Amino acid sequence: VSRRTTLLAFIAAAVLGLVALLLAAGSDRRHTAFSADARISSQVAFATTGTSICQGELHAEFAFSAIRAWILTAGPTAMTLVVTPRNGALALGALRSTRNLVGSHTIALNRTVSAGSRVVVCVHNEGPGNIGMLGGLAPASEGPLRVAGRVVAPGDGLALMFLRPHPASLLSMLPTVFSRAALFKFSWLGAWTFWLLAVAVLAAFVVAGFAVTQATREDTDSARTTTPQ
Amino acid sequence: LSRARLLWNRLRAAVPASLAMLLVVVAVFGVAWALIVPPWQAPDTPSHFAYVESIAARHALPGVDGRPGFSRDQTAADNAVGAGRIAFDAAEARPSWDPAADRAYRAAAGSLPRSDGGGPNAAAVNPPLYYLYAAIAYDAMIGGDEFDRLYAIQLWGVLLLLAAVIAAWLLAGEVLGPRQLPTLITAAVVGLLPMQTFICTSVTVDALLIPLWTFALWLGARVITRAARRRDAIALCAVTAAAILTKATSYALVPAVLLALVLGWRHRDAEERRALRATVGPALAALVLPVLLWVGSATALGRSAINTVEPAPGTHPKAFMPTQFLSYLWQFYFPRPPFLKPFRTTADLPLWDVWIGEGWGAFGWLDVRMVGWIYTVLATITGAVAILGATILVRMRTRLQAELIAFFALALAALLLGLHVTEYRSIIADSGPVIQGRYALPLVALFGLAVGLIVSRVPLRARGAVSAVIVAALLVLQVLALATVARAYYT
């Protein structure tokens, strides 16, 4: 058993795999700016023609320019999405359909809503069909859910995903990923822990390479001593 | 100083360098898994954590009717991060990324009670051994909050992962002989399979079950190959008892353990066989007494000592029909022929969905999966290992080899049969399917052993390179799995 061949094979396989992962992470476009944190368990709001379903005020953790919502409609329907920041201009979007809608739909806004705003998101039913919106248990920080101005389903919220104006690659988001991962863990833990772990993971490749090479050496020595001369 | 040096030298002599390095590698990935997964995003972790909390804070088993299943502190922590809200919904919802919510919970945590839980929950029926182990880490976090305690238990689980690696190393050494490359590969598979690292570093009984089963497989092999030496037999039975006190699934180990004892005893010469009572008596006592103690205690406390399948509310239990069970079993592993009534528990073939998908890696509440084509590759690898392994096994001719195969096969068959009978009974009781891929992880060492066996048959010139590629591939798979989890919850 050649130790050199073992080491070269390990380096080639590890480098190939890691480069492939880096390329994949660099090209994986992530659209989500943040989520309303509501689970999608059932229809939580229902709007007839001329009425609105509103959620908020929510805290816009990051800038967004489109919203993905989970919608059910029966027949042709038109709806207007109105995002009202506490300080700033309205952002508008529209969705029109001639058939039944079931599932998630992304509605683009006419402008980007900046990070840090507190916003109310409303879906206004332009008719003629009715609109149901999916959601479920939501944190109180997402504000109340209202239909035609009246609070409905206390504790529930709309399932909404707020999408970035420009998608970011998974690789470029690493600092954000690590700072988010550091929350709700050990009180002393920070993003630095995950940077340290990333370095340790890379170092683990080196250690693993030595482990295989060492095992190869042991087997070679053992084969040499047991081979009859 | 000289004593420390002596100890260090002894340790170096006892632990091969490649095993020590593998343990370092596995520990790094174990810590990464323990910390990257958001709170309570593994199957049933809220219930398992509540069990630990009941033992640590109330000094009592959970499952008491009339009490809440979770303490107010755990509920507040869960609500702060949105753990319950996003369970099963990682594709659409995210845990909270709000530092203010983190600070708000921690500010309130000191005044929230931890001993007001202890009511019924999904884990309450389990025996207490794992929870006693986890309670050590829980109690070590003096002055901490629920997140400190949860992650302390998860980090504590890294030791269980390392124990499984050591047990797999010993098993391979016992079965494959003193060849380091096949041994290293066996242990690397056990330590670096993504689902294994995820489960061992989650708060779950399976984290302890896996190393215990792996040790039992090693000790069983040792009992057979070394003619049932007294201490091996006692250790095997004690480990089996520990496995039963961890999860009732481990009753499935008993037939294989008894077979190992019989086979080991048969290896003794006539003179030694007469001393049977001196070996088997203490061994069986090590198995039976702790289990009887638990069963007696559970009965006295009005608890179930084994997992039972209850019919869904408002339904009537249906009779176990052997032909229907066989039909279910066939449809779990093979496509359904037209003459069989549909009895499928998953959208795709359960063999694919459960054993391949969930066995290699389904994270969170099984809702976070790696990119789809990876599972096709992993299924191909699994199939290749099964075929090559079987090809090698059928050529084994010695009595000892046949006995070892019988021992491993009985452990495998008993576990799978137990799981399938439980699932079939659950389905006919309208309680739905219950088998998850992680339930096969107690036998992960057998998969590692099969890979090690194949490596041992690779020509000597290529063996190092093949081993190197396997280890590198496992590491890359680990990074992919960790990135998948980070991507799902934090982007």
Side-chain angles (χ1 to χ4, degrees):
Chain A
V1 188
S2 162
R3 271 185 291 159
R4 193 157 174 265
T5 314
T6 302
L7 191 60
L8 286 176
F10 181 84
I11 292 170
V15 168
L16 202 68
L18 285 176
V19 167
L21 286 179
L22 280 176
L23 289 175
S27 59
D28 180 14
R29 299 320 221 180
R30 307 301 295 157
H31 294 264
T32 307
F34 63 98
S35 157
D37 293 336
R39 73 180 306 166
I40 302 165
S41 52
S42 60
Q43 178 177 299
V44 290
F46 179 80
T48 52
T49 302
T51 57
S52 295
I53 301 169
C54 294
Q55 177 78 56
E57 286 182 333
L58 306 108
H59 176 235
E61 296 168 50
F62 294 88
F64 64 93
S65 62
I67 293 178
R68 186 182 300 149
W70 279 259
I71 301 168
L72 299 173
T73 65
T77 321
M79 64 194 84
T80 307
L81 181 68
V82 183
V83 179
T84 314
R86 189 185 285 179
N87 304 308
L90 295 180
L92 300 172
L95 181 66
R96 209 170 279 278
S97 173
T98 53
R99 55 188 175 81
N100 295 350
L101 298 179
V102 179
S104 74
H105 295 275
T106 300
I107 305 170
L109 298 170
N110 62 346
R111 53 177 293 275
T112 298
V113 178
S114 53
S117 316
R118 291 203 68 82
V119 299
V120 175
V121 178
C122 292
V123 175
H124 184 72
N125 186 354
E126 310 284 358
N130 296 327
I131 298 173
M133 295 198 66
L134 301 189
L137 195 61
S141 58
E142 305 302 318
L145 171 62
R146 290 188 172 89
V147 176
R150 204 160 48 84
V151 174
V152 295
D156 282 349
L158 298 180
L160 300 171
M161 293 285 261
F162 297 82
L163 307 181
R164 294 165 171 271
H166 306 289
S169 74
L170 179 60
L171 197 60
S172 71
M173 287 187 71
L174 269 189
T176 310
V177 166
F178 288 168
S179 59
R180 288 172 181 170
L183 295 173
F184 304 101
K185 301 278 164 68
F186 286 112
S187 41
W188 47 264
L189 196 129
W192 62 268
T193 320
F194 291 98
W195 286 111
L196 198 65
L197 271 173
V199 173
V201 162
L202 288 179
F205 274 78
V206 179
V207 177
F210 279 121
V212 187
T213 316
Q214 176 67 24
T216 305
R217 194 174 80 178
E218 297 279 344
D219 279 5
T220 312
D221 292 350
S222 166
R224 225 175 259 148
T225 52
T226 54
T227 306
Q229 299 298 309
Chain B
L1 194 66
S2 61
R3 186 176 287 179
R5 187 174 292 170
L6 192 68
L7 195 68
W8 171 247
N9 286 341
R10 273 189 190 166
L11 198 66
R12 278 187 60 182
V15 180
S18 48
L19 171 61
M21 286 188 267
L22 178 65
L23 289 173
V24 170
V25 172
V26 172
V28 167
F29 281 99
V31 171
W33 276 100
L35 296 180
I36 197 78
V37 178
W40 295 296
Q41 293 309 311
D44 300 329
T45 35
S47 299
H48 294 300
F49 182 84
Y51 197 136
V52 179
E53 189 156 79
S54 178
I55 286 182
R58 297 175 56 239
H59 310 294
L61 296 171
V64 182
D65 286 334
R67 293 184 68 91
F70 306 102
S71 72
R72 262 187 283 171
D73 199 359
Q74 185 182 344
T75 305
D78 189 301
N79 288 342
V81 66
R85 207 172 53 240
I86 66 166
F88 302 109
D89 273 335
E92 296 91 10
R94 301 286 185 272
S96 173
W97 298 335
D98 186 0
D102 187 8
R103 284 192 298 271
Y105 162 72
R106 291 186 199 278
S111 61
L112 293 168
R114 294 187 283 129
S115 55
D116 58 342
N121 71 39
V125 71
N126 286 327
L129 193 60
Y130 167 75
Y131 304 101
L132 290 168
Y133 171 82
I136 297 169
Y138 180 104
D139 277 335
M141 290 291 104
I142 298 161
D145 54 45
E146 294 291 70
F147 295 120
D148 291 317
R149 292 184 273 270
L150 174 68
Y151 283 93
I153 299 171
Q154 296 195 172
L155 278 182
W156 194 224
V158 176
L159 287 185
L160 300 177
L161 180 63
L162 297 179
V165 172
I166 292 169
W169 179 282
L170 294 169
L171 170 66
E174 193 66 36
V175 174
L176 303 177
R179 287 176 293 181
Q180 287 219 356
L181 279 171
T183 308
L184 178 74
I185 293 304
T186 303
V189 168
V190 169
L192 294 170
L193 210 74
M195 195 63 184
Q196 165 88 339
T197 34
F198 167 61
I199 288 298
C200 279
T201 56
S202 298
V203 183
T204 167
V205 284
D206 295 319
L208 179 58
L209 197 66
I210 296 164
L212 287 174
W213 272 67
T214 313
F215 272 113
L217 292 173
W218 164 57
L219 288 164
R222 200 173 156 91
V223 162
I224 294 170
T225 56
R226 302 186 188 206
R229 292 191 311 194
R230 191 167 184 258
R231 64 180 182 192
D232 291 339
I234 292 172
L236 171 62
C237 290
V239 166
T240 306
I244 291 170
L245 295 184
T246 301
K247 195 173 181 182
T249 313
S250 299
Y251 285 110
L253 253 181
V254 174
V257 167
L258 295 177
L259 177 68
L261 291 172
V262 169
L263 293 175
W265 172 74
R266 283 181 52 181
H267 280 285
R268 295 182 165 201
D269 57 36
E271 188 69 25
E272 287 178 324
R273 284 186 194 179
R274 287 195 202 102
L276 171 71
R277 209 174 291 168
T279 299
V280 173
L284 289 181
L287 171 61
V288 174
L289 290 181
V291 175
L292 278 182
L293 192 66
W294 161 243
V295 172
S297 309
T299 308
L301 292 168
R303 300 168 59 90
S304 172
I306 54 163
N307 296 16
T308 52
V309 177
E310 301 292 342
T315 61
H316 298 289
K318 298 182 187 82
F320 189 106
M321 295 166 65
T323 50
Q324 192 185 38
F325 173 70
L326 290 175
S327 167
Y328 147 79
L329 206 56
W330 176 274
Q331 291 179 56
F332 195 97
Y333 290 97
F334 305 103
R336 180 178 66 87
F339 59 86
L340 287 181
K341 282 187 184 168
F343 208 107
R344 186 167 280 181
T345 55
T346 54
D348 288 318
L349 196 64
L351 168 67
W352 170 270
D353 269 2
V354 177
W355 294 142
I356 300 295
E358 295 176 7
W360 276 94
F363 314 112
W365 286 79
L366 309 181
D367 52 345
V368 177
R369 302 210 177 200
M370 294 177 281
V371 60
W373 61 265
I374 283 287
Y375 293 98
T376 310
V377 174
L378 296 173
T380 309
I381 291 170
T382 310
V385 168
I387 291 167
L388 288 172
T391 310
I392 297 169
L393 290 184
V394 295
R395 290 180 183 168
M396 291 183 164
R397 291 283 181 266
T398 70
R399 180 182 152 194
L400 185 63
Q401 287 169 336
E403 288 174 352
L404 286 171
I405 293 169
F407 167 64
F408 294 137
L410 187 55
L412 172 76
L415 180 67
L416 292 184
L417 186 65
L419 290 174
H420 283 304
V421 167
T422 306
E423 173 158 278
Y424 170 72
R425 292 185 61 219
S426 175
I427 291 171
I428 62 174
D430 291 327
S431 297
V434 293
I435 294 184
Q436 295 178 20
R438 66 193 160 104
Y439 296 163
L441 287 178
L443 295 169
V444 67
L446 294 186
F447 181 68
L449 199 58
V451 181
L453 181 66
I454 293 164
V455 166
S456 73
R457 301 303 164 105
V458 172
L460 202 59
R461 273 177 303 140
R463 197 177 296 162
V466 169
S467 304
V469 171
I470 292 172
V471 173
L474 283 166
L475 296 180
V476 170
L477 190 63
Q478 275 284 332
V479 177
L480 173 66
L482 284 166
T484 302
V485 171
R487 178 183 186 271
Y489 290 114
Y490 306 120
T491 70

